[in-house]
Amino acid sequence: VSKIIEMLEAQWRGNKFVCVGLDPDIQKLPKKFNQLDPEDAIADFCMQIVDATQEFVCAYKPNFAFFEQYGPDGLRALRHVVSHIHATAPDAIVILDAKRGDIGSTSSALACAAFDVWGADAITVNPYLGRDAIQPFLDYKDKGVIVLCRTSNKGATEFQNLRVGDQPLFMRVARAVADEWNGHGNCGLVVGATAPQELNEVRQAVGNMPILVPGVGAQGGDLQHVLRAGLTADGGVLINVSRSVLYASNDQDFAQAARKEVERMNVEIKHFLVEVSR
Amino acid sequence: VSKIIEMLEAQWRGNKFVCVGLDPDIQKLPKKFNQLDPEDAIADFCMQIVDATQEFVCAYKPNFAFFEQYGPDGLRALRHVVSHIHATAPDAIVILDAKRGDIGSTSSALACAAFDVWGADAITVNPYLGRDAIQPFLDYKDKGVIVLCRTSNKGATEFQNLRVGDQPLFMRVARAVADEWNGHGNCGLVVGATAPQELNEVRQAVGNMPILVPGVGAQGGDLQHVLRAGLTADGGVLINVSRSVLYASNDQDFAQAARKEVERMNVEIKHFLVEVSR
């Protein structure tokens, strides 16, 4: 098992299953950020969210696109936020949500960017191009590679649920990752909370592999079901929440409100664990 | 038909079918660039390639990853190069090769970044998440959206050639794009020159839709076959070459060598067109 999975397992032993997605949108920030340049505003906002929530989370998931939309300065903010997480919350894992994947030499550049330039511990990747497109990421054996399997959006079924032989495409992806791509023990999968049946199927097929589950909160996925379907003896799930935490309040108290929302989720998770252990 | 496709058709009428991929790699640049900062080196190098080749090309395809690997400054160079192309080669189309695709609000941020921040005329996108992930790109109706269909890498067959019902997955993608996603007439497809049979099949299914064909040159695809399989009455293909043009020489004469290589391709294409018209 890779160092990155050991880090995750330590977090899970501390009952930390929540991953906070960092999707900064200048339009949605509390008023006081209006006075700053966009890059300072999004960096400050994210760092205050990190400071307020780190007691309760196993990971942060900065979303590349939300920084990229502010250009080179936005990406300078991304690097700043990632450094801040490593410096102030060293146990938290930084997952760069970038959904990468390209042919060989390009994927090498992407992997270098993700891990060496932006400083991420793990990255999300898209499997459509096949294993050789993902290999340069897998070769960073202390880093996590989280492969899109069944995404949380409505249109996910268009291709992901098509039957190939005796199984849907997303299960074919799940099995390829579990059986063939995971030689360094550094793989994970993305399965949306909005697809509860698919989450069951994937968990049954992939043993203890970590599953990143977006879609609880603003997208309507059910936390209880995610826990029932996704948890393993070691932990096994990272439950991502973004908007419902980041924008829990759009006033001065935004950081406290974010903390409260994550704490509320943690209480719900602990209740579930107590119920299950009875 | 979208404005972007009209621009392309004008290029094709001028017998311009070559797209030069801009994949700057500091390690491969001629020695004289060593004296510069990485971002200045890659920007200068790309701009000299553009100046030397624009007479013979229909498009440039900056590869996001190769700029991203140099951090925020590398992306500043990307913006600079794109501006330079618009200013000095206004007929050439700028295709940002970034293979994007994400759930709704994230894809909106990605589309804004590609078209408004980086200044691209078109972008490559990954279909795995389904149509709703691509819709924010499609909504920029004067911009091009070029969907990965059958990629040029060896591992492409792992998922793309799986049979779904009576056709392979890549054909299902091709038909979805042609029949359903192309309401604004601004779509294209990526099909690798390394998959000649697949290129035939896609062309037969999608009418006149533009096809971006990488894989000629360093990857070994055959130019004659691409022309036979891909050309339509209007043109229909963008033949991408990257390394074999960019690094035609690694000495002082790199720009002239790049120009010669593109000119050589153009001569071969013109011979083909003359043969066909007989």
Side-chain angles (χ1 to χ4, degrees):
Chain A
V1 152
S2 160
K3 194 184 119 197
I4 185 77
I5 307 295
E6 287 174 3
M7 278 179 71
L8 254 179
E9 288 172 350
Q11 298 279 59
W12 289 331
R13 281 193 295 275
N15 284 331
K16 294 181 181 179
F17 297 93
V18 175
C19 169
V20 170
L22 300 173
D23 300 8
D25 177 347
I26 212 99
Q27 313 273 2
K28 292 183 182 164
L29 302 192
K31 262 189 238 145
K32 68 166 179 174
F33 290 97
N34 290 351
Q35 303 149 25
L36 301 174
D37 289 337
E39 61 273 20
D40 291 335
I42 62 175
D44 271 19
F45 174 77
C46 289
M47 291 190 290
Q48 289 187 52
I49 292 283
V50 169
D51 294 344
T53 57
Q54 57 165 286
E55 191 180 334
F56 304 114
V57 309
C58 63
Y60 291 99
K61 182 173 73 59
N63 188 329
F64 191 87
F66 281 79
F67 295 87
E68 185 191 348
Q69 70 184 330
Y70 302 110
D73 292 330
L75 292 163
R76 221 177 279 283
L78 168 63
R79 200 157 59 176
H80 197 50
V81 170
V82 174
S83 297
H84 181 80
I85 300 170
H86 289 317
T88 62
D91 295 337
I93 285 148
V94 177
I95 301 166
L96 186 64
D97 195 2
K99 303 187 171 66
R100 298 302 199 225
D102 208 314
I103 69 166
S105 62
T106 307
S107 267
S108 298
L110 290 168
C112 161
F115 301 133
D116 300 332
V117 175
W118 310 120
D121 300 308
I123 186 169
T124 57
V125 299
N126 184 312
Y128 187 70
L129 280 80
R131 181 192 173 144
D132 58 352
I134 307 304
Q135 193 62 45
F137 298 96
L138 298 172
D139 289 343
Y140 279 76
K141 60 189 202 305
D142 292 337
K143 304 291 184 178
V145 182
I146 306 178
V147 184
L148 298 184
C149 175
R150 175 54 169 83
T151 54
S152 63
N153 57 314
K154 283 218 177 83
T157 56
E158 182 170 2
F159 301 119
Q160 295 166 26
N161 283 46
L162 290 176
R163 293 199 78 78
V164 291
D166 59 353
Q167 61 190 337
L169 177 61
F170 73 87
M171 285 300 296
R172 179 81 176 226
V173 170
R175 291 197 167 96
V177 175
D179 300 342
E180 296 162 31
W181 300 12
N182 199 26
H184 294 311
N186 62 342
C187 292
L189 293 168
V190 174
V191 181
T194 51
Q197 184 52 41
E198 286 91 335
L199 181 59
N200 289 339
E201 288 174 53
V202 171
R203 173 52 80 211
Q204 279 157 35
V206 302
N208 291 323
M209 182 170 288
I211 302 180
L212 172 64
V213 185
V216 169
Q219 295 179 59
D222 176 43
L223 177 57
Q224 297 284 329
H225 178 84
V226 171
L227 295 167
R228 261 195 317 276
L231 280 175
T232 64
D234 298 328
V237 287
L238 299 95
I239 299 165
N240 186 74
V241 277
S242 303
R243 284 169 279 177
S244 57
V245 167
L246 298 184
Y247 308 116
S249 160
N250 67 352
D251 212 335
Q252 301 261 12
D253 64 341
F254 75 95
Q256 282 168 289
R259 180 186 167 90
K260 261 192 202 152
E261 175 59 15
V262 182
E263 196 175 8
R264 190 195 62 70
M265 288 181 69
N266 263 18
V267 169
E268 194 177 337
I269 292 167
K270 276 183 199 159
H271 280 171
F272 179 91
L273 294 170
V274 169
E275 285 296 316
V276 167
S277 68
R278 265 186 197 156
Chain B
V1 151
S2 161
K3 193 183 120 196
I4 184 76
I5 308 295
E6 287 174 3
M7 280 178 70
L8 255 179
E9 288 172 350
Q11 299 278 59
W12 289 330
R13 280 193 295 274
N15 283 333
K16 294 182 181 179
F17 296 93
V18 175
C19 168
V20 170
L22 301 173
D23 300 9
D25 177 347
I26 213 100
Q27 313 273 4
K28 293 185 183 162
L29 301 191
K31 264 191 234 142
K32 68 166 182 175
F33 291 97
N34 289 351
Q35 303 149 24
L36 302 173
D37 289 337
E39 60 274 20
D40 291 336
I42 61 175
D44 272 19
F45 174 75
C46 290
M47 291 189 293
Q48 289 187 51
I49 292 284
V50 169
D51 294 345
T53 57
Q54 56 167 286
E55 190 179 336
F56 304 113
V57 309
C58 64
Y60 291 99
K61 181 173 73 62
N63 188 329
F64 191 87
F66 281 79
F67 295 87
E68 185 191 349
Q69 69 183 332
Y70 302 110
D73 293 330
L75 292 163
R76 221 178 278 285
L78 168 64
R79 202 157 59 177
H80 197 50
V81 170
V82 174
S83 297
H84 181 80
I85 300 171
H86 289 316
T88 62
D91 294 337
I93 285 148
V94 177
I95 301 167
L96 186 65
D97 195 3
K99 300 184 172 66
R100 297 301 199 229
D102 208 314
I103 69 168
S105 62
T106 306
S107 268
S108 298
L110 289 169
C112 161
F115 301 132
D116 301 331
V117 175
W118 310 121
D121 299 308
I123 186 171
T124 57
V125 299
N126 184 311
Y128 187 69
L129 281 79
R131 180 191 173 145
D132 58 351
I134 307 304
Q135 193 62 47
F137 298 96
L138 298 172
D139 289 343
Y140 280 76
K141 61 188 201 308
D142 292 337
K143 305 289 185 179
V145 182
I146 305 178
V147 184
L148 297 184
C149 175
R150 175 56 168 80
T151 54
S152 63
N153 58 314
K154 282 219 177 82
T157 55
E158 182 170 4
F159 301 120
Q160 295 166 25
N161 282 47
L162 289 176
R163 292 200 77 79
V164 291
D166 58 353
Q167 62 191 337
L169 178 60
F170 75 85
M171 285 300 297
R172 178 82 175 223
V173 169
R175 291 199 167 95
V177 175
D179 299 342
E180 297 163 31
W181 300 13
N182 198 25
H184 294 312
N186 62 342
C187 292
L189 294 167
V190 174
V191 181
T194 51
Q197 183 52 42
E198 286 91 335
L199 181 59
N200 289 339
E201 288 174 50
V202 171
R203 173 51 78 211
Q204 278 157 36
V206 302
N208 291 324
M209 182 171 288
I211 303 180
L212 172 65
V213 185
V216 170
Q219 294 180 60
D222 175 43
L223 178 58
Q224 296 284 330
H225 179 83
V226 171
L227 294 168
R228 260 195 316 275
L231 280 176
T232 65
D234 297 329
V237 287
L238 299 96
I239 300 166
N240 187 75
V241 276
S242 303
R243 283 168 281 177
S244 57
V245 167
L246 298 185
Y247 308 116
S249 158
N250 67 352
D251 212 336
Q252 300 262 14
D253 64 342
F254 76 95
Q256 282 167 287
R259 179 187 168 89
K260 259 192 205 152
E261 175 60 15
V262 182
E263 196 175 8
R264 189 195 62 70
M265 287 182 69
N266 263 19
V267 169
E268 192 177 338
I269 293 168
K270 275 183 202 160
H271 280 172
F272 179 90
L273 293 171
V274 170
E275 285 297 315
V276 167
S277 67
R278 266 185 200 158

PDB file of all heavy atoms in Angstrom, chain B residues 240-255:
ATOM      1  N   ASN B 240      -2.674  17.389 -37.366  1.00  0.00           N
ATOM      2  CA  ASN B 240      -1.770  17.957 -36.370  1.00  0.00           C
ATOM      3  C   ASN B 240      -0.377  17.341 -36.419  1.00  0.00           C
ATOM      4  O   ASN B 240      -0.233  16.128 -36.506  1.00  0.00           O
ATOM      5  CB  ASN B 240      -2.331  17.759 -34.955  1.00  0.00           C
ATOM      6  CG  ASN B 240      -1.483  18.491 -33.939  1.00  0.00           C
ATOM      7  OD1 ASN B 240      -1.561  19.726 -33.843  1.00  0.00           O
ATOM      8  ND2 ASN B 240      -0.633  17.771 -33.210  1.00  0.00           N
ATOM      9  N   VAL B 241       0.617  18.211 -36.368  1.00  0.00           N
ATOM     10  CA  VAL B 241       1.995  17.752 -36.163  1.00  0.00           C
ATOM     11  C   VAL B 241       2.594  18.612 -35.061  1.00  0.00           C
ATOM     12  O   VAL B 241       2.384  19.824 -35.024  1.00  0.00           O
ATOM     13  CB  VAL B 241       2.869  17.888 -37.424  1.00  0.00           C
ATOM     14  CG1 VAL B 241       2.679  16.692 -38.338  1.00  0.00           C
ATOM     15  CG2 VAL B 241       2.587  19.175 -38.163  1.00  0.00           C
ATOM     16  N   SER B 242       3.333  17.976 -34.175  1.00  0.00           N
ATOM     17  CA  SER B 242       3.947  18.732 -33.079  1.00  0.00           C
ATOM     18  C   SER B 242       5.456  18.549 -33.120  1.00  0.00           C
ATOM     19  O   SER B 242       6.166  19.344 -33.723  1.00  0.00           O
ATOM     20  CB  SER B 242       3.377  18.277 -31.729  1.00  0.00           C
ATOM     21  OG  SER B 242       1.967  18.410 -31.710  1.00  0.00           O
ATOM     22  N   ARG B 243       5.923  17.462 -32.512  1.00  0.00           N
ATOM     23  CA  ARG B 243       7.360  17.279 -32.349  1.00  0.00           C
ATOM     24  C   ARG B 243       8.143  17.337 -33.661  1.00  0.00           C
ATOM     25  O   ARG B 243       9.212  17.936 -33.720  1.00  0.00           O
ATOM     26  CB  ARG B 243       7.643  15.948 -31.635  1.00  0.00           C
ATOM     27  CG  ARG B 243       7.391  16.035 -30.146  1.00  0.00           C
ATOM     28  CD  ARG B 243       7.389  14.656 -29.503  1.00  0.00           C
ATOM     29  NE  ARG B 243       6.124  13.953 -29.724  1.00  0.00           N
ATOM     30  CZ  ARG B 243       5.882  12.703 -29.312  1.00  0.00           C
ATOM     31  NH1 ARG B 243       6.820  12.027 -28.702  1.00  0.00           N
ATOM     32  NH2 ARG B 243       4.702  12.155 -29.518  1.00  0.00           N
ATOM     33  N   SER B 244       7.602  16.719 -34.737  1.00  0.00           N
ATOM     34  CA  SER B 244       8.386  16.654 -35.980  1.00  0.00           C
ATOM     35  C   SER B 244       8.563  18.032 -36.607  1.00  0.00           C
ATOM     36  O   SER B 244       9.451  18.230 -37.433  1.00  0.00           O
ATOM     37  CB  SER B 244       7.758  15.671 -36.969  1.00  0.00           C
ATOM     38  OG  SER B 244       6.422  16.026 -37.234  1.00  0.00           O
ATOM     39  N   VAL B 245       7.710  19.000 -36.208  1.00  0.00           N
ATOM     40  CA  VAL B 245       7.898  20.378 -36.677  1.00  0.00           C
ATOM     41  C   VAL B 245       8.707  21.189 -35.657  1.00  0.00           C
ATOM     42  O   VAL B 245       9.712  21.808 -35.983  1.00  0.00           O
ATOM     43  CB  VAL B 245       6.537  21.050 -36.950  1.00  0.00           C
ATOM     44  CG1 VAL B 245       6.697  22.553 -37.134  1.00  0.00           C
ATOM     45  CG2 VAL B 245       5.893  20.437 -38.186  1.00  0.00           C
ATOM     46  N   LEU B 246       8.281  21.151 -34.401  1.00  0.00           N
ATOM     47  CA  LEU B 246       8.925  21.980 -33.370  1.00  0.00           C
ATOM     48  C   LEU B 246      10.410  21.667 -33.248  1.00  0.00           C
ATOM     49  O   LEU B 246      11.224  22.562 -33.030  1.00  0.00           O
ATOM     50  CB  LEU B 246       8.290  21.738 -32.000  1.00  0.00           C
ATOM     51  CG  LEU B 246       6.813  22.077 -31.822  1.00  0.00           C
ATOM     52  CD1 LEU B 246       6.420  21.875 -30.362  1.00  0.00           C
ATOM     53  CD2 LEU B 246       6.521  23.508 -32.254  1.00  0.00           C
ATOM     54  N   TYR B 247      10.725  20.380 -33.332  1.00  0.00           N
ATOM     55  CA  TYR B 247      12.100  19.958 -33.081  1.00  0.00           C
ATOM     56  C   TYR B 247      12.743  19.377 -34.343  1.00  0.00           C
ATOM     57  O   TYR B 247      13.584  18.487 -34.283  1.00  0.00           O
ATOM     58  CB  TYR B 247      12.123  18.984 -31.893  1.00  0.00           C
ATOM     59  CG  TYR B 247      11.396  19.565 -30.690  1.00  0.00           C
ATOM     60  CD1 TYR B 247      10.239  18.988 -30.185  1.00  0.00           C
ATOM     61  CD2 TYR B 247      11.845  20.764 -30.119  1.00  0.00           C
ATOM     62  CE1 TYR B 247       9.557  19.571 -29.112  1.00  0.00           C
ATOM     63  CE2 TYR B 247      11.167  21.347 -29.053  1.00  0.00           C
ATOM     64  CZ  TYR B 247      10.021  20.749 -28.555  1.00  0.00           C
ATOM     65  OH  TYR B 247       9.353  21.321 -27.512  1.00  0.00           O
ATOM     66  N   ALA B 248      12.337  19.944 -35.498  1.00  0.00           N
ATOM     67  CA  ALA B 248      12.927  19.523 -36.772  1.00  0.00           C
ATOM     68  C   ALA B 248      14.444  19.767 -36.753  1.00  0.00           C
ATOM     69  O   ALA B 248      15.208  19.037 -37.360  1.00  0.00           O
ATOM     70  CB  ALA B 248      12.272  20.270 -37.930  1.00  0.00           C
ATOM     71  N   SER B 249      14.859  20.823 -36.069  1.00  0.00           N
ATOM     72  CA  SER B 249      16.287  21.035 -35.802  1.00  0.00           C
ATOM     73  C   SER B 249      16.398  21.555 -34.375  1.00  0.00           C
ATOM     74  O   SER B 249      15.505  22.268 -33.898  1.00  0.00           O
ATOM     75  CB  SER B 249      16.861  22.073 -36.772  1.00  0.00           C
ATOM     76  OG  SER B 249      18.047  22.640 -36.225  1.00  0.00           O
ATOM     77  N   ASN B 250      17.472  21.198 -33.677  1.00  0.00           N
ATOM     78  CA  ASN B 250      17.632  21.797 -32.350  1.00  0.00           C
ATOM     79  C   ASN B 250      18.780  22.794 -32.333  1.00  0.00           C
ATOM     80  O   ASN B 250      19.405  23.054 -31.320  1.00  0.00           O
ATOM     81  CB  ASN B 250      17.778  20.736 -31.258  1.00  0.00           C
ATOM     82  CG  ASN B 250      19.070  19.962 -31.396  1.00  0.00           C
ATOM     83  OD1 ASN B 250      19.772  20.121 -32.397  1.00  0.00           O
ATOM     84  ND2 ASN B 250      19.383  19.147 -30.419  1.00  0.00           N
ATOM     85  N   ASP B 251      19.022  23.365 -33.509  1.00  0.00           N
ATOM     86  CA  ASP B 251      20.106  24.334 -33.643  1.00  0.00           C
ATOM     87  C   ASP B 251      19.500  25.706 -34.003  1.00  0.00           C
ATOM     88  O   ASP B 251      18.287  25.883 -33.995  1.00  0.00           O
ATOM     89  CB  ASP B 251      21.074  23.828 -34.730  1.00  0.00           C
ATOM     90  CG  ASP B 251      22.514  24.250 -34.433  1.00  0.00           C
ATOM     91  OD1 ASP B 251      22.704  25.261 -33.718  1.00  0.00           O
ATOM     92  OD2 ASP B 251      23.413  23.556 -34.922  1.00  0.00           O
ATOM     93  N   GLN B 252      20.363  26.643 -34.296  1.00  0.00           N
ATOM     94  CA  GLN B 252      19.958  28.011 -34.668  1.00  0.00           C
ATOM     95  C   GLN B 252      18.851  28.066 -35.727  1.00  0.00           C
ATOM     96  O   GLN B 252      18.052  28.987 -35.749  1.00  0.00           O
ATOM     97  CB  GLN B 252      21.177  28.759 -35.258  1.00  0.00           C
ATOM     98  CG  GLN B 252      22.363  28.892 -34.335  1.00  0.00           C
ATOM     99  CD  GLN B 252      22.416  30.240 -33.648  1.00  0.00           C
ATOM    100  OE1 GLN B 252      21.421  30.983 -33.661  1.00  0.00           O
ATOM    101  NE2 GLN B 252      23.527  30.553 -33.036  1.00  0.00           N
ATOM    102  N   ASP B 253      18.880  27.079 -36.637  1.00  0.00           N
ATOM    103  CA  ASP B 253      17.961  27.098 -37.784  1.00  0.00           C
ATOM    104  C   ASP B 253      16.623  26.440 -37.474  1.00  0.00           C
ATOM    105  O   ASP B 253      15.904  26.031 -38.386  1.00  0.00           O
ATOM    106  CB  ASP B 253      18.621  26.391 -38.972  1.00  0.00           C
ATOM    107  CG  ASP B 253      18.870  24.909 -38.672  1.00  0.00           C
ATOM    108  OD1 ASP B 253      18.859  24.542 -37.461  1.00  0.00           O
ATOM    109  OD2 ASP B 253      19.044  24.136 -39.622  1.00  0.00           O
ATOM    110  N   PHE B 254      16.275  26.302 -36.187  1.00  0.00           N
ATOM    111  CA  PHE B 254      15.065  25.550 -35.809  1.00  0.00           C
ATOM    112  C   PHE B 254      13.794  26.080 -36.482  1.00  0.00           C
ATOM    113  O   PHE B 254      12.935  25.304 -36.897  1.00  0.00           O
ATOM    114  CB  PHE B 254      14.914  25.528 -34.281  1.00  0.00           C
ATOM    115  CG  PHE B 254      14.413  26.828 -33.709  1.00  0.00           C
ATOM    116  CD1 PHE B 254      13.064  27.017 -33.457  1.00  0.00           C
ATOM    117  CD2 PHE B 254      15.298  27.875 -33.431  1.00  0.00           C
ATOM    118  CE1 PHE B 254      12.609  28.216 -32.937  1.00  0.00           C
ATOM    119  CE2 PHE B 254      14.842  29.068 -32.924  1.00  0.00           C
ATOM    120  CZ  PHE B 254      13.498  29.257 -32.682  1.00  0.00           C
ATOM    121  N   ALA B 255      13.691  27.414 -36.594  1.00  0.00           N
ATOM    122  CA  ALA B 255      12.464  27.982 -37.149  1.00  0.00           C
ATOM    123  C   ALA B 255      12.374  27.698 -38.658  1.00  0.00           C
ATOM    124  O   ALA B 255      11.311  27.312 -39.162  1.00  0.00           O
ATOM    125  CB  ALA B 255      12.396  29.487 -36.871  1.00  0.00           C
TER     126      ALA B 255
END
